[in-house]
Amino acid sequence: MKIEVKNMTAYYGRTEILHDINLEINAGEKVFIGGSNGSGKTTLLRVISGIIPHKGEVLVDGKEISSMKRRDAAKLISLMPQTSDIYFPYTVYETVLLGTYASSGSALGGINAKDIEYAVKCMEDCGVLELKEKHLDELSGGQLQRVLLARTFAQRSPFLFLDEPGNNLDIKYRAELCDKLNNWAEEKTSDIPNSLVCVFHDLEQARRCCTRAVMMKEGRIIYDGDISNGTTPEMLLKIYDFDVASYIDNKNPL
Amino acid sequence: MKKILAIIVALATTMAFATACNEKTEVSDTTASEVETSDTEASEDTEATEPSTAESDMLDRAGNGIVLPEKVDRIVSMAPSTTQVLIEIGLADKIIGADTNSTASYDTQLPSLVAGFDMMSPDCELIASLEPDIVFTSGMSSVGGTSPFQSLIDSGICVADIPSSASIADIAEDIRFIGIVTGKESEAEDLVEAMTLYISAVEDIAKTVPEGETKTVLLMMNVPSAEYPTIYTVGTGTYMDEMFGIIGAKNAFGDQEGWLAISIEEALAADPDVILMDCNWMPGADEAVKALEGWENVKAVKNGDVYQIDEDLCSRPNHHVAEACAEWARCIYPDQFNEFNMTLELMAEAA
Amino acid sequence: MNKKGTGLKIAISAVLCLFILVVCIRAGSVYISLKDLFGIIGGHITGKGTPEGVAPMMDSIFWTIRMPRALCAFMVGGALSISGACMQALLQNPLASSYTLGVSSGASVGAALVLVTGITLPFFPNFTLPFAGFVFGLLTVTCAILLARAIDRSISNTTVVLIGMVLSLFVNGVLNLLSTFDDAHSKQLYLWMMGSFSARGWKHCAILFPVCIVCFIGLMLMSRKMDIMSFGDLQAQAMGVDAKKTKIVSILICALLTGISVAFTGVIGFVDLAAPHVVRKLFGPTHKLVLPMSFIYGGAFMALCDLISRTLLSPREIPVGAVTALIGAPFFAYVFFASRRKNR
C-alpha cells in the first residue's frame, strides 16, 4: 500500500502551483512536508487527498485518487485542513462524530454504535472528552484545534494529512500533539500501517513527529530524504533564503 | 464627525425654511379665500338685481342653491339615470352632451348629442364651450367631496347636482326635481306615478307568496377570485335593500348598513336561497358563481338559483328600478311573478 | 447529550404547531365550535359525511375553504423553511435563503409571462401558472449554477450568492418591464409578487403534499451530508462528501420546494430565512432536527401570517408576504442582534 505521485502538475485557476511532482509515500511512513510560505505544501496535501484537480497521476494503492468516489478517497486519506472556519455551533461531540461519516458502514452515513464508540475514543485521545457538550463557538483556538484533530482521527483512514496542526496550540499542547501523533502512527486502526504526512512550521515538532522530510520550494520538491539531512542549516537557508540557524537559539541543535 | 454635524445643521435649516414657506403659503391661501368670499358677498350686495342671485331660491338635490335658466334648450346630463329621465319626459333632442355611460346606452335616442364626457374626470372646458343652459351632475362624479364641475359653477352655468339616492322616495324626488328644473313637471309626475303604481302592483303579488316561503337573497356585484376575494353587496339604507322589501324577499345582508364588502366565508354562511349577479361587465357571472369551489352547498347554487340581472336596470336610480323589482322578483319567486309582464309604459298608459 | 430535554422540546413544538393550526382553521369571519370542527374533519376522514346538527354550509366553509387554505399555508411555510435551512447549510451562511439564488424572482417571471401572453398548458390549464413559476425558478437556479461553475469550478459560496443576487436583480428588471407593458394584469402581478393564500384549495394541497414529503425525505437522507457541508466545502471534501454533487442535488430539491411554493402562492419572503434560524437557536444545528423542526415552525408561522392577512382588515386581505415581512423582519433583527451580543 503506497501513494504514488507521478509527473503531477496542479493549478490554482490558471496559475501553475505545483510543477511536475514525483513522490512516493509508503504506508507506515511519517513524512514532514516543509517549505516557505507559498511553496505549495498545502496544495500538495490537497491534491494528493483528491480535493484539488491535477494533471499527471496521483495513485493511492494503484488507483487514481481523482476518479475515486469522495467517500472512498476519504476512507484512505483524511485531511485536517489548515483553515477551520466555524459557521454553525455544533457541539464537540456532534463534530467529532461527523468524522466517522466516510468510514461508517451505513450507505447513507447513518450513525451506529461502533461509530459513537470510536468517536468517544478519539475525543479521549485528544483530551476533549470533557468538552463533549460544548459548542464549537465556545471553544478556545487550541481546544478547537484538538477537536478537529479528534474529528480527523475519527475518519479512521490509514493516511493522515495534517496541515499545520500545531496552529493555535501553546508549547505544552504542541509537545502533547507530537506524542498523540506518534501514538496514533504506532496504533493499528486498520490492516494498513498508519502514515503521517504533516506540514509544520515548527521544525522542532517536525523532527519529533516525522522521520522523512520532503522540502519544497516554488512548487517543486528540492529535497526528499531523511529528516535530519532535510533540516540542516544549509538546507533551511536554501529553502527560506534566510539564515534560520542564527535566528533560532544556537543551543537548539537543528 | 464635523461633516456629519454640518450636514445635520444644513438639513435642519432647510427643513426650517421649508416649514416656514409652507406656513407662508397657508397664510396667503386663507387671505385669498377671504378675499374671494368678500368679493362674492360684495357682488351679491351690489348686483342684487341680477337674475342670478334673485332667483337663487331653488336648491338642487344636493342642497346647493342654483339659479334656474330662463329656458332649457341645451342640456348636459352627466348620469345615465338622469339622461333616461330626460329622454322620457320628452327632452331627448335637447341633450347636447352626456357622460359616456349615457352615450353608450342611449346614443340612438339622442339626436342633438355633440359630445360624451368621462364621468370621473369631465372636460369642463369642453362642456362650457357647448354653452349649456343646465348641466345635471350626479354623486358618481364627486370624489372626496370635491366636485369636478366647480369650474363650471364658477363660470355661471347652472349645475344641478343629483346625488345617488338611497331610497325609492328620494328617487321620486329626483325625477320631480328634473321635471321642475326643465319645466316638465307634469311629465315627470307621470313617471313617478307610473313607478309608484308599478311598485304597488309588484307588492300586491309579493303578498301572495305564502308565509314561510320567504327567500333569502344575496346580491353580488362581482365574482370573488383569488385576486379579489372580497364580495361587494348591499345592506340597509340603500334603495336596493328597499327593492327586496317590495318583492317580499330577505336581503342576506340586511342586518348591515350601506354598501358592503364581505368575505367569501360570510357569503357562504348566509346560505342564500337565491343569488343575483349585478355585474353586466362580467358576462356569465352566474355560471362562474355556480362553478366556485366550496359553494356547492349553498342553497342557491345547489338549486341552480343564481341569476345574472340587468345592472343597467337596477343600478341607475330612476323610475326604472320598478321594472328591476319585477326582474328580480321573477328570479326569486318565479311561481308568483312569471305571469307579470307589465312594463312601465303600459303602467303609465293604464294610469 | 441531553436527549430528554430535546424530546420535550420536540413534543412542545409539535403540540404548539397543532394548536396554531387549529386556531388558524377556526378563526375567521365565521365562527365554529371545536366540537363541530372535529365533527366535520372526522366526518370527512371516516367518509361518514357531515355529522348531524352541523349545517352543510359550515362543512363547505371549513372543509372546502379554510382547512385547505390553512394546510396550504402550513406546507408552503414548511417547504420554504426547509429549503432555507438547506441553503444556509450549503452556503455556510445563516442569513442565506433560496432567495439568494433567485428562485423566487425567477418563478415570478414565469408567472408574469403566462399572464401577459395568455399561454395555457394543454389538459391542465389551471396549472399553467404554477408550472411556469416552477420551471422558471428552476431555470434561474440552473443559470446561477452554470454561471457560477463557469467562473469557478468548485462553486464557492461567494460566487453563488453573488450570481444569485445579480440574477434576481436582472429578473426583477424583466418583471418590472413586463408589468409596465401590461397594465391589465399589473394588479394580479402585484398580488402575486407579494404572495396570497386566497382561494387555495385541496387541489393545491394535493400537489404540495407529495412534493413536500418527497423533498423532505430526500433532504433528511442527506441530513448528515448537510451537517458536514455546513463546515465548508473544503472540510466536507476532506471528510468524504462530494461537495459539488451534494450542492447540485440539494439545490435542485430546494428549487423544487421553493419553485412550487412560490408558484402556488406568490413570492413570500423571510420565512425561509427566519424559521431555520430560530430552530437552530432552540435545537442546535444538527440537520436531523433542524429540517423537521424548520418545517413545523415555518409552517406554523406561515399559517399564522395567513390568518392575520385574512382577518386583520377583513373582508379585505393583506398580501401575506407583507405580513411575513412586517412581523418577521423586526423579530429576525432581534434574534440576529441578540446572538451577536452573546458572541461578543
Side-chain angles (χ1 to χ4, degrees), chain A residues 46 70-71 74 79 85 87-90 94 97-98 100-101 109 133 151 155, chain C residues 1 88 92 224-225 227-228 230-231 234-235 237-240 242 280 285-287:
Chain A
R46 291 184 186 176
R70 247 344 290 157
R71 202 165 162 196
L79 169 74
D85 300 321
Y87 307 95
F88 296 100
Y90 285 90
E94 288 163 346
L97 200 53
L98 285 179
T100 64
Y101 170 77
E133 290 307 325
R151 193 188 71 189
Q155 209 166 317
Chain C
M1 233 186 158
Q88 290 171 10
Q92 293 98 46
R224 198 143 182 246
K225 275 189 192 174
D227 285 336
I228 295 173
S230 56
F231 280 87
L234 177 67
Q235 297 192 58
Q237 294 263 57
M239 282 191 268
D242 190 333
R280 272 196 206 94
T286 313
H287 285 88

mmCIF file of all heavy atoms in Angstrom, chain A residues 46 70-71 74 79 85 87-90 94 97-98 100-101 109 133 151 155, chain C residues 1 88 92 224-225 227-228 230-231 234-235 237-240 242 280 285-287:
data_model
loop_
_atom_site.group_PDB
_atom_site.id
_atom_site.type_symbol
_atom_site.label_atom_id
_atom_site.label_comp_id
_atom_site.label_asym_id
_atom_site.label_seq_id
_atom_site.Cartn_x
_atom_site.Cartn_y
_atom_site.Cartn_z
ATOM 1 N N ARG A 46 -3.623 18.823 -0.533
ATOM 2 C CA ARG A 46 -4.984 18.791 -1.072
ATOM 3 C C ARG A 46 -5.058 18.007 -2.376
ATOM 4 O O ARG A 46 -6.031 17.308 -2.633
ATOM 5 C CB ARG A 46 -5.510 20.216 -1.291
ATOM 6 C CG ARG A 46 -5.754 20.931 0.035
ATOM 7 C CD ARG A 46 -6.368 22.287 -0.158
ATOM 8 N NE ARG A 46 -6.440 22.981 1.133
ATOM 9 C CZ ARG A 46 -6.860 24.221 1.274
ATOM 10 N NH1 ARG A 46 -7.241 24.911 0.217
ATOM 11 N NH2 ARG A 46 -6.896 24.772 2.460
ATOM 12 N N ARG A 70 -15.637 10.341 -3.596
ATOM 13 C CA ARG A 70 -15.121 11.147 -2.494
ATOM 14 C C ARG A 70 -15.046 10.338 -1.192
ATOM 15 O O ARG A 70 -14.104 10.379 -0.446
ATOM 16 C CB ARG A 70 -16.034 12.342 -2.253
ATOM 17 C CG ARG A 70 -15.568 13.747 -2.525
ATOM 18 C CD ARG A 70 -14.145 14.037 -2.696
ATOM 19 N NE ARG A 70 -13.367 13.910 -1.469
ATOM 20 C CZ ARG A 70 -12.073 13.684 -1.441
ATOM 21 N NH1 ARG A 70 -11.402 13.538 -2.550
ATOM 22 N NH2 ARG A 70 -11.436 13.582 -0.309
ATOM 23 N N ARG A 71 -16.102 9.567 -0.983
ATOM 24 C CA ARG A 71 -16.179 8.864 0.292
ATOM 25 C C ARG A 71 -15.106 7.781 0.378
ATOM 26 O O ARG A 71 -14.491 7.575 1.425
ATOM 27 C CB ARG A 71 -17.571 8.243 0.435
ATOM 28 C CG ARG A 71 -17.916 7.974 1.873
ATOM 29 C CD ARG A 71 -19.377 7.713 2.009
ATOM 30 N NE ARG A 71 -19.647 7.060 3.275
ATOM 31 C CZ ARG A 71 -20.775 6.451 3.541
ATOM 32 N NH1 ARG A 71 -21.733 6.404 2.628
ATOM 33 N NH2 ARG A 71 -20.958 5.895 4.705
ATOM 34 N N ALA A 74 -11.821 9.410 1.023
ATOM 35 C CA ALA A 74 -11.705 9.857 2.411
ATOM 36 C C ALA A 74 -11.471 8.694 3.362
ATOM 37 O O ALA A 74 -10.986 8.881 4.469
ATOM 38 C CB ALA A 74 -12.962 10.623 2.811
ATOM 39 N N LEU A 79 -7.775 14.431 5.690
ATOM 40 C CA LEU A 79 -7.032 15.681 5.665
ATOM 41 C C LEU A 79 -7.574 16.610 6.740
ATOM 42 O O LEU A 79 -8.773 16.836 6.824
ATOM 43 C CB LEU A 79 -7.172 16.344 4.295
ATOM 44 C CG LEU A 79 -6.668 17.780 4.185
ATOM 45 C CD1 LEU A 79 -5.159 17.829 4.182
ATOM 46 C CD2 LEU A 79 -7.220 18.446 2.932
ATOM 47 N N ASP A 85 -12.929 27.065 9.531
ATOM 48 C CA ASP A 85 -13.992 28.042 9.786
ATOM 49 C C ASP A 85 -15.184 27.362 10.427
ATOM 50 O O ASP A 85 -15.563 26.265 10.046
ATOM 51 C CB ASP A 85 -14.425 28.686 8.466
ATOM 52 C CG ASP A 85 -13.261 29.401 7.811
ATOM 53 O OD1 ASP A 85 -12.486 30.019 8.547
ATOM 54 O OD2 ASP A 85 -13.128 29.312 6.575
ATOM 55 N N TYR A 87 -19.133 27.887 11.125
ATOM 56 C CA TYR A 87 -20.286 28.697 10.761
ATOM 57 C C TYR A 87 -21.485 28.401 11.647
ATOM 58 O O TYR A 87 -22.303 29.251 11.921
ATOM 59 C CB TYR A 87 -20.658 28.459 9.303
ATOM 60 C CG TYR A 87 -19.492 28.637 8.366
ATOM 61 C CD1 TYR A 87 -18.729 27.558 7.949
ATOM 62 C CD2 TYR A 87 -19.149 29.908 7.919
ATOM 63 C CE1 TYR A 87 -17.651 27.728 7.092
ATOM 64 C CE2 TYR A 87 -18.077 30.085 7.064
ATOM 65 C CZ TYR A 87 -17.329 28.993 6.657
ATOM 66 O OH TYR A 87 -16.279 29.173 5.810
ATOM 67 N N PHE A 88 -21.601 27.135 12.072
ATOM 68 C CA PHE A 88 -22.743 26.763 12.892
ATOM 69 C C PHE A 88 -22.231 26.096 14.174
ATOM 70 O O PHE A 88 -21.310 25.286 14.126
ATOM 71 C CB PHE A 88 -23.656 25.798 12.140
ATOM 72 C CG PHE A 88 -24.281 26.416 10.928
ATOM 73 C CD1 PHE A 88 -23.774 26.183 9.657
ATOM 74 C CD2 PHE A 88 -25.376 27.249 11.055
ATOM 75 C CE1 PHE A 88 -24.341 26.759 8.542
ATOM 76 C CE2 PHE A 88 -25.958 27.835 9.940
ATOM 77 C CZ PHE A 88 -25.442 27.591 8.688
ATOM 78 N N PRO A 89 -22.815 26.429 15.309
ATOM 79 C CA PRO A 89 -22.283 25.965 16.596
ATOM 80 C C PRO A 89 -22.662 24.515 16.923
ATOM 81 O O PRO A 89 -23.445 24.254 17.825
ATOM 82 C CB PRO A 89 -22.902 26.940 17.596
ATOM 83 C CG PRO A 89 -24.175 27.371 16.964
ATOM 84 C CD PRO A 89 -23.958 27.327 15.485
ATOM 85 N N TYR A 90 -22.098 23.573 16.205
ATOM 86 C CA TYR A 90 -22.286 22.168 16.565
ATOM 87 C C TYR A 90 -21.595 21.914 17.899
ATOM 88 O O TYR A 90 -20.664 22.634 18.271
ATOM 89 C CB TYR A 90 -21.686 21.255 15.494
ATOM 90 C CG TYR A 90 -22.507 21.179 14.240
ATOM 91 C CD1 TYR A 90 -22.289 22.072 13.202
ATOM 92 C CD2 TYR A 90 -23.506 20.222 14.111
ATOM 93 C CE1 TYR A 90 -23.059 22.019 12.052
ATOM 94 C CE2 TYR A 90 -24.276 20.157 12.955
ATOM 95 C CZ TYR A 90 -24.043 21.059 11.937
ATOM 96 O OH TYR A 90 -24.803 21.000 10.810
ATOM 97 N N GLU A 94 -20.937 16.207 18.414
ATOM 98 C CA GLU A 94 -21.519 16.117 17.068
ATOM 99 C C GLU A 94 -20.437 16.256 16.004
ATOM 100 O O GLU A 94 -20.426 15.538 15.000
ATOM 101 C CB GLU A 94 -22.565 17.221 16.864
ATOM 102 C CG GLU A 94 -23.857 17.013 17.640
ATOM 103 C CD GLU A 94 -24.693 18.288 17.747
ATOM 104 O OE1 GLU A 94 -24.181 19.385 17.463
ATOM 105 O OE2 GLU A 94 -25.861 18.161 18.136
ATOM 106 N N LEU A 97 -18.219 13.188 15.768
ATOM 107 C CA LEU A 97 -18.996 12.087 15.211
ATOM 108 C C LEU A 97 -19.124 12.223 13.687
ATOM 109 O O LEU A 97 -19.169 11.222 12.964
ATOM 110 C CB LEU A 97 -20.383 12.066 15.869
ATOM 111 C CG LEU A 97 -21.163 10.768 15.797
ATOM 112 C CD1 LEU A 97 -20.322 9.610 16.325
ATOM 113 C CD2 LEU A 97 -22.456 10.877 16.577
ATOM 114 N N LEU A 98 -19.168 13.460 13.185
ATOM 115 C CA LEU A 98 -19.263 13.671 11.742
ATOM 116 C C LEU A 98 -18.042 13.088 11.035
ATOM 117 O O LEU A 98 -18.125 12.682 9.876
ATOM 118 C CB LEU A 98 -19.379 15.164 11.420
ATOM 119 C CG LEU A 98 -20.739 15.809 11.694
ATOM 120 C CD1 LEU A 98 -20.683 17.289 11.358
ATOM 121 C CD2 LEU A 98 -21.833 15.131 10.890
ATOM 122 N N THR A 100 -16.782 10.339 11.384
ATOM 123 C CA THR A 100 -16.945 8.910 11.083
ATOM 124 C C THR A 100 -17.743 8.681 9.799
ATOM 125 O O THR A 100 -17.938 7.541 9.401
ATOM 126 C CB THR A 100 -17.670 8.180 12.231
ATOM 127 O OG1 THR A 100 -18.995 8.717 12.333
ATOM 128 C CG2 THR A 100 -16.950 8.362 13.550
ATOM 129 N N TYR A 101 -18.199 9.780 9.169
ATOM 130 C CA TYR A 101 -19.073 9.644 8.001
ATOM 131 C C TYR A 101 -18.517 8.698 6.939
ATOM 132 O O TYR A 101 -19.191 7.776 6.496
ATOM 133 C CB TYR A 101 -19.341 11.019 7.395
ATOM 134 C CG TYR A 101 -20.026 10.962 6.055
ATOM 135 C CD1 TYR A 101 -21.381 10.703 5.967
ATOM 136 C CD2 TYR A 101 -19.309 11.149 4.873
ATOM 137 C CE1 TYR A 101 -22.018 10.627 4.750
ATOM 138 C CE2 TYR A 101 -19.933 11.084 3.638
ATOM 139 C CZ TYR A 101 -21.295 10.825 3.594
ATOM 140 O OH TYR A 101 -21.907 10.740 2.379
ATOM 141 N N GLY A 109 -24.691 7.100 5.526
ATOM 142 C CA GLY A 109 -23.941 7.852 6.519
ATOM 143 C C GLY A 109 -24.662 7.940 7.845
ATOM 144 O O GLY A 109 -24.466 8.874 8.606
ATOM 145 N N GLU A 133 -20.038 18.360 25.370
ATOM 146 C CA GLU A 133 -21.316 19.069 25.173
ATOM 147 C C GLU A 133 -21.127 20.545 24.847
ATOM 148 O O GLU A 133 -22.100 21.265 24.653
ATOM 149 C CB GLU A 133 -22.190 18.931 26.414
ATOM 150 C CG GLU A 133 -22.735 17.526 26.642
ATOM 151 C CD GLU A 133 -23.463 16.966 25.429
ATOM 152 O OE1 GLU A 133 -24.133 17.743 24.710
ATOM 153 O OE2 GLU A 133 -23.338 15.750 25.175
ATOM 154 N N ARG A 151 -11.659 14.809 15.201
ATOM 155 C CA ARG A 151 -12.543 14.515 14.078
ATOM 156 C C ARG A 151 -11.768 13.837 12.947
ATOM 157 O O ARG A 151 -12.255 12.909 12.309
ATOM 158 C CB ARG A 151 -13.190 15.799 13.569
ATOM 159 C CG ARG A 151 -14.337 15.568 12.624
ATOM 160 C CD ARG A 151 -14.814 16.843 12.007
ATOM 161 N NE ARG A 151 -13.846 17.356 11.036
ATOM 162 C CZ ARG A 151 -13.943 18.562 10.481
ATOM 163 N NH1 ARG A 151 -14.919 19.376 10.818
ATOM 164 N NH2 ARG A 151 -13.041 18.944 9.611
ATOM 165 N N GLN A 155 -11.963 9.722 11.365
ATOM 166 C CA GLN A 155 -12.173 9.327 9.963
ATOM 167 C C GLN A 155 -11.566 7.955 9.677
ATOM 168 O O GLN A 155 -11.905 7.315 8.699
ATOM 169 C CB GLN A 155 -11.577 10.409 9.052
ATOM 170 C CG GLN A 155 -12.257 10.529 7.705
ATOM 171 C CD GLN A 155 -11.863 11.806 7.005
ATOM 172 O OE1 GLN A 155 -11.806 12.873 7.618
ATOM 173 N NE2 GLN A 155 -11.589 11.705 5.721
ATOM 174 N N MET C 1 -25.415 13.827 25.791
ATOM 175 C CA MET C 1 -26.423 14.590 25.054
ATOM 176 C C MET C 1 -27.730 14.633 25.832
ATOM 177 O O MET C 1 -28.183 13.645 26.394
ATOM 178 C CB MET C 1 -26.674 13.912 23.714
ATOM 179 C CG MET C 1 -26.515 14.862 22.572
ATOM 180 S SD MET C 1 -27.003 14.005 21.114
ATOM 181 C CE MET C 1 -27.402 15.285 20.041
ATOM 182 N N GLN C 88 -28.868 27.498 3.760
ATOM 183 C CA GLN C 88 -27.978 28.091 4.758
ATOM 184 C C GLN C 88 -26.813 27.156 5.061
ATOM 185 O O GLN C 88 -25.681 27.593 5.237
ATOM 186 C CB GLN C 88 -28.766 28.413 6.029
ATOM 187 C CG GLN C 88 -29.731 29.558 5.797
ATOM 188 C CD GLN C 88 -30.685 29.777 6.945
ATOM 189 O OE1 GLN C 88 -30.536 29.194 8.013
ATOM 190 N NE2 GLN C 88 -31.665 30.627 6.725
ATOM 191 N N GLN C 92 -23.062 27.924 4.045
ATOM 192 C CA GLN C 92 -22.451 28.237 5.341
ATOM 193 C C GLN C 92 -22.761 29.662 5.762
ATOM 194 O O GLN C 92 -21.913 30.383 6.256
ATOM 195 C CB GLN C 92 -20.928 28.052 5.299
ATOM 196 C CG GLN C 92 -20.492 26.636 5.121
ATOM 197 C CD GLN C 92 -20.174 26.342 3.686
ATOM 198 O OE1 GLN C 92 -19.503 27.108 3.047
ATOM 199 N NE2 GLN C 92 -20.669 25.233 3.174
ATOM 200 N N ARG C 224 -26.975 14.199 7.200
ATOM 201 C CA ARG C 224 -25.614 14.126 7.738
ATOM 202 C C ARG C 224 -24.627 14.795 6.774
ATOM 203 O O ARG C 224 -23.705 15.477 7.199
ATOM 204 C CB ARG C 224 -25.234 12.660 7.972
ATOM 205 C CG ARG C 224 -24.063 12.517 8.895
ATOM 206 C CD ARG C 224 -24.152 11.332 9.817
ATOM 207 N NE ARG C 224 -23.000 11.299 10.710
ATOM 208 C CZ ARG C 224 -22.063 10.341 10.678
ATOM 209 N NH1 ARG C 224 -22.156 9.356 9.820
ATOM 210 N NH2 ARG C 224 -21.055 10.389 11.514
ATOM 211 N N LYS C 225 -24.888 14.597 5.485
ATOM 212 C CA LYS C 225 -24.056 15.279 4.489
ATOM 213 C C LYS C 225 -24.167 16.779 4.655
ATOM 214 O O LYS C 225 -23.185 17.512 4.511
ATOM 215 C CB LYS C 225 -24.521 14.919 3.070
ATOM 216 C CG LYS C 225 -23.941 13.636 2.544
ATOM 217 C CD LYS C 225 -24.285 13.511 1.081
ATOM 218 C CE LYS C 225 -23.980 12.112 0.592
ATOM 219 N NZ LYS C 225 -24.416 11.900 -0.774
ATOM 220 N N ASP C 227 -24.872 18.366 7.421
ATOM 221 C CA ASP C 227 -24.089 18.731 8.612
ATOM 222 C C ASP C 227 -22.638 18.949 8.219
ATOM 223 O O ASP C 227 -22.012 19.939 8.590
ATOM 224 C CB ASP C 227 -24.142 17.610 9.660
ATOM 225 C CG ASP C 227 -25.475 17.566 10.388
ATOM 226 O OD1 ASP C 227 -26.143 18.615 10.427
ATOM 227 O OD2 ASP C 227 -25.831 16.500 10.902
ATOM 228 N N ILE C 228 -22.119 18.001 7.450
ATOM 229 C CA ILE C 228 -20.716 18.077 7.048
ATOM 230 C C ILE C 228 -20.495 19.267 6.113
ATOM 231 O O ILE C 228 -19.517 19.999 6.241
ATOM 232 C CB ILE C 228 -20.279 16.756 6.387
ATOM 233 C CG1 ILE C 228 -20.331 15.631 7.433
ATOM 234 C CG2 ILE C 228 -18.897 16.872 5.787
ATOM 235 C CD1 ILE C 228 -20.094 14.246 6.888
ATOM 236 N N SER C 230 -21.943 21.984 6.159
ATOM 237 C CA SER C 230 -22.006 23.281 6.825
ATOM 238 C C SER C 230 -20.657 23.650 7.456
ATOM 239 O O SER C 230 -20.522 24.720 8.028
ATOM 240 C CB SER C 230 -23.142 23.333 7.846
ATOM 241 O OG SER C 230 -23.017 22.309 8.780
ATOM 242 N N PHE C 231 -19.661 22.763 7.318
ATOM 243 C CA PHE C 231 -18.304 23.139 7.736
ATOM 244 C C PHE C 231 -17.516 23.734 6.570
ATOM 245 O O PHE C 231 -16.330 24.016 6.684
ATOM 246 C CB PHE C 231 -17.552 21.925 8.285
ATOM 247 C CG PHE C 231 -17.924 21.610 9.707
ATOM 248 C CD1 PHE C 231 -19.001 20.796 9.982
ATOM 249 C CD2 PHE C 231 -17.206 22.147 10.756
ATOM 250 C CE1 PHE C 231 -19.366 20.517 11.290
ATOM 251 C CE2 PHE C 231 -17.559 21.874 12.062
ATOM 252 C CZ PHE C 231 -18.641 21.055 12.338
ATOM 253 N N LEU C 234 -14.300 22.698 1.700
ATOM 254 C CA LEU C 234 -13.009 22.048 1.852
ATOM 255 C C LEU C 234 -13.092 20.938 2.905
ATOM 256 O O LEU C 234 -12.686 19.793 2.664
ATOM 257 C CB LEU C 234 -11.959 23.088 2.249
ATOM 258 C CG LEU C 234 -10.567 22.521 2.523
ATOM 259 C CD1 LEU C 234 -9.966 21.973 1.248
ATOM 260 C CD2 LEU C 234 -9.677 23.589 3.126
ATOM 261 N N GLN C 235 -13.616 21.271 4.073
ATOM 262 C CA GLN C 235 -13.708 20.277 5.127
ATOM 263 C C GLN C 235 -14.648 19.148 4.728
ATOM 264 O O GLN C 235 -14.424 17.989 5.050
ATOM 265 C CB GLN C 235 -14.171 20.926 6.437
ATOM 266 C CG GLN C 235 -13.171 21.943 6.941
ATOM 267 C CD GLN C 235 -13.480 22.378 8.361
ATOM 268 O OE1 GLN C 235 -13.546 21.576 9.269
ATOM 269 N NE2 GLN C 235 -13.688 23.672 8.531
ATOM 270 N N GLN C 237 -15.219 18.042 1.689
ATOM 271 C CA GLN C 237 -14.480 17.191 0.754
ATOM 272 C C GLN C 237 -13.529 16.281 1.526
ATOM 273 O O GLN C 237 -13.438 15.093 1.274
ATOM 274 C CB GLN C 237 -13.649 18.065 -0.199
ATOM 275 C CG GLN C 237 -14.466 18.911 -1.128
ATOM 276 C CD GLN C 237 -14.624 18.274 -2.485
ATOM 277 O OE1 GLN C 237 -15.111 17.144 -2.565
ATOM 278 N NE2 GLN C 237 -14.235 18.949 -3.530
ATOM 279 N N ALA C 238 -12.828 16.880 2.507
ATOM 280 C CA ALA C 238 -11.859 16.121 3.277
ATOM 281 C C ALA C 238 -12.530 15.014 4.065
ATOM 282 O O ALA C 238 -11.951 13.956 4.291
ATOM 283 C CB ALA C 238 -11.105 17.056 4.214
ATOM 284 N N MET C 239 -13.781 15.254 4.488
ATOM 285 C CA MET C 239 -14.485 14.242 5.274
ATOM 286 C C MET C 239 -15.202 13.218 4.409
ATOM 287 O O MET C 239 -15.864 12.326 4.928
ATOM 288 C CB MET C 239 -15.474 14.913 6.231
ATOM 289 C CG MET C 239 -14.792 15.495 7.458
ATOM 290 S SD MET C 239 -15.974 15.989 8.707
ATOM 291 C CE MET C 239 -16.231 17.673 8.294
ATOM 292 N N GLY C 240 -15.102 13.379 3.097
ATOM 293 C CA GLY C 240 -15.655 12.352 2.222
ATOM 294 C C GLY C 240 -17.002 12.671 1.616
ATOM 295 O O GLY C 240 -17.718 11.787 1.179
ATOM 296 N N ASP C 242 -18.910 14.568 -1.420
ATOM 297 C CA ASP C 242 -18.710 15.200 -2.718
ATOM 298 C C ASP C 242 -19.467 16.525 -2.711
ATOM 299 O O ASP C 242 -20.669 16.574 -2.946
ATOM 300 C CB ASP C 242 -19.231 14.287 -3.832
ATOM 301 C CG ASP C 242 -18.821 14.795 -5.198
ATOM 302 O OD1 ASP C 242 -18.626 16.021 -5.333
ATOM 303 O OD2 ASP C 242 -18.702 13.975 -6.120
ATOM 304 N N ARG C 280 -32.471 26.590 14.915
ATOM 305 C CA ARG C 280 -31.093 26.319 15.325
ATOM 306 C C ARG C 280 -30.831 26.833 16.732
ATOM 307 O O ARG C 280 -30.114 26.220 17.500
ATOM 308 C CB ARG C 280 -30.114 26.966 14.352
ATOM 309 C CG ARG C 280 -29.810 26.052 13.207
ATOM 310 C CD ARG C 280 -28.579 26.504 12.452
ATOM 311 N NE ARG C 280 -28.706 26.005 11.104
ATOM 312 C CZ ARG C 280 -29.209 26.704 10.120
ATOM 313 N NH1 ARG C 280 -29.586 27.944 10.322
ATOM 314 N NH2 ARG C 280 -29.329 26.177 8.935
ATOM 315 N N PRO C 285 -27.620 22.953 15.630
ATOM 316 C CA PRO C 285 -27.536 22.995 14.167
ATOM 317 C C PRO C 285 -27.661 21.644 13.451
ATOM 318 O O PRO C 285 -27.605 21.601 12.237
ATOM 319 C CB PRO C 285 -26.144 23.596 13.936
ATOM 320 C CG PRO C 285 -25.359 23.205 15.139
ATOM 321 C CD PRO C 285 -26.306 22.985 16.280
ATOM 322 N N THR C 286 -27.817 20.541 14.200
ATOM 323 C CA THR C 286 -27.857 19.236 13.534
ATOM 324 C C THR C 286 -29.090 19.124 12.634
ATOM 325 O O THR C 286 -30.215 19.320 13.088
ATOM 326 C CB THR C 286 -27.885 18.103 14.573
ATOM 327 O OG1 THR C 286 -26.890 18.377 15.536
ATOM 328 C CG2 THR C 286 -27.628 16.769 13.932
ATOM 329 N N HIS C 287 -28.853 18.784 11.370
ATOM 330 C CA HIS C 287 -29.948 18.840 10.405
ATOM 331 C C HIS C 287 -31.013 17.787 10.602
ATOM 332 O O HIS C 287 -32.132 17.941 10.132
ATOM 333 C CB HIS C 287 -29.388 18.816 8.986
ATOM 334 C CG HIS C 287 -28.785 20.115 8.621
ATOM 335 N ND1 HIS C 287 -27.467 20.407 8.892
ATOM 336 C CD2 HIS C 287 -29.323 21.233 8.085
ATOM 337 C CE1 HIS C 287 -27.217 21.643 8.501
ATOM 338 N NE2 HIS C 287 -28.313 22.165 8.016
#
